[in-house]
Amino acid sequence: MTQNNNLENLGFSFSAGGAHLARTMMLPELTQLFEFLPEATATKAAYFEAIVDDNCLSKRSARTRLLTARHLADLYGLDNAFLLFRALKFFWYRAEAARPQLALLLAYARDPILRMSAKHILSASPGVQIQRQGIEDIISNQFPDRFSEATLKSTAQNINATWTQAGYLTGKAKKMRCTSEASEAAVCFALLMAYLRGTRGEELFTSEYVQLLDCRPDKAIDLIEASARKGWAVFKRVGSVVEVAFPSLINQKEMEWVREQA
């Protein structure tokens, strides 16, 4: 089995498209869905039934309900077979304030369109205006002649809306970069993602997933120590040697896939 297949089994996605071509990261819809069906063991079929049959998200047509379910599945998996989705729910129900960043982390791990915008957003200083055109240029440079001007515009708007939902941008017509405060749950989830990709030791704290949280390595260490005290992770540090593990989140089969990444 290839590394990408292992990672896809864990919940990462490397598809060519992305939900942001049509929607934002849909934080309000995800929140409503989890409120309607809060069971930690709810199945993918149960989520689709809640959205499509029960119309828990109050969509106007059957087609819109189905598309909404599919987009949420693209962004988050909605399947307990995926470790990343189970971990999202684990932290979601334990840290309400962290939910925007938790959703951003998983959407980032599954949507290449969102991933390619991250450097542009994160490199901007607080107070700097984020122009939609900048996002459009990133997408068009990556996929020359693939998308129409209208699609580039709507996709860039979706991406900027996602970063706004996650707490990195503020404003409506004019989007300004703002600071985002990392939490114990978000850092623990970010470190889990880096760990699954094969990162170990101090490099965990400079991984792309921790950087996604606007979080310095020293702050991330403080937060994972707090997470470990809650039993969310195992954290050991002896001098400059750092060890992080997630025995309560990763099952035996998944651990086999993880070892192939290291």
Side-chain angles (χ1 to χ4, degrees):
M1 184 177 289
T2 67
Q3 286 193 342
N4 274 5
N5 283 342
N6 285 341
L7 291 171
E8 287 171 352
N9 287 335
L10 292 167
F12 294 90
S13 179
F14 304 96
S15 62
H20 280 82
L21 292 171
R23 299 296 299 271
T24 70
M25 75 171 182
M26 304 172 72
L27 181 61
E29 288 90 342
L30 184 66
T31 302
Q32 284 179 259
L33 178 61
F34 282 171
E35 287 176 353
F36 183 83
L37 199 65
E39 296 88 349
T41 57
T43 63
K44 185 174 184 178
Y47 288 121
F48 268 70
E49 181 178 342
I51 298 167
V52 177
D53 298 336
D54 299 329
N55 195 21
C56 69
L57 302 182
S58 302
K59 300 301 180 181
R60 292 184 178 181
S61 68
R63 173 176 169 76
T64 302
R65 295 196 291 271
L66 181 58
L67 287 174
T68 298
R70 287 175 176 172
H71 289 317
L72 282 169
D74 286 342
L75 286 164
Y76 303 108
L78 299 187
D79 191 335
N80 292 314
F82 296 137
L83 167 58
L84 289 186
F85 180 64
R86 296 199 317 270
L88 170 71
K89 292 197 295 181
F90 177 88
F91 295 117
W92 184 278
Y93 293 119
R94 289 165 174 79
E96 183 174 352
R99 290 173 179 177
Q101 284 191 327
L102 293 171
L104 177 70
L105 280 163
L106 188 45
Y108 174 89
R110 293 183 58 81
D111 192 325
I113 301 292
L114 177 60
R115 284 199 293 273
M116 67 180 63
S117 72
K119 184 177 180 180
H120 180 73
I121 300 295
L122 297 175
S123 64
S125 300
V128 170
Q129 183 177 356
I130 301 298
Q131 302 283 355
R132 190 192 72 233
Q133 185 63 49
I135 302 296
E136 291 182 26
D137 290 344
I138 291 169
I139 299 170
S140 61
N141 288 338
Q142 187 70 26
F143 301 107
D145 303 320
R146 177 176 173 181
F147 301 118
S148 66
E149 290 186 9
T151 299
L152 286 172
K153 178 180 178 180
S154 64
T155 302
Q157 288 173 333
N158 290 338
I159 289 173
N160 281 345
T162 281
W163 289 104
T164 304
Q165 290 175 23
Y168 293 73
L169 301 180
T170 186
K172 293 185 178 180
K174 183 182 291 187
K175 297 291 186 183
M176 311 295 290
R177 179 73 158 96
C178 59
T179 56
S180 179
E181 186 69 23
S183 67
E184 297 167 6
V187 164
C188 197
F189 194 26
L191 291 172
L192 171 65
M193 289 183 169
Y195 181 86
L196 297 178
R197 297 295 303 265
T199 307
R200 298 291 183 270
E202 290 186 314
E203 291 184 4
L204 284 165
F205 299 93
T206 56
S207 68
E208 62 183 295
Y209 304 103
V210 173
Q211 291 179 33
L212 191 65
L213 301 177
D214 272 349
C215 188
R216 302 187 317 273
D218 59 328
K219 178 65 172 178
I221 289 175
D222 290 342
L223 291 171
I224 195 61
E225 285 181 326
S227 297
R229 288 193 292 270
K230 293 181 176 181
W232 296 351
V234 171
F235 176 75
K236 299 177 183 178
R237 177 170 56 174
V238 179
S240 61
V241 179
V242 174
E243 180 182 346
V244 183
F246 305 88
S248 64
L249 297 174
I250 306 175
N251 65 37
Q252 184 176 352
K253 181 61 177 178
E254 290 162 347
M255 199 62 223
E256 293 176 10
W257 295 332
V258 171
R259 291 191 184 102
E260 295 181 19
Q261 307 303 316

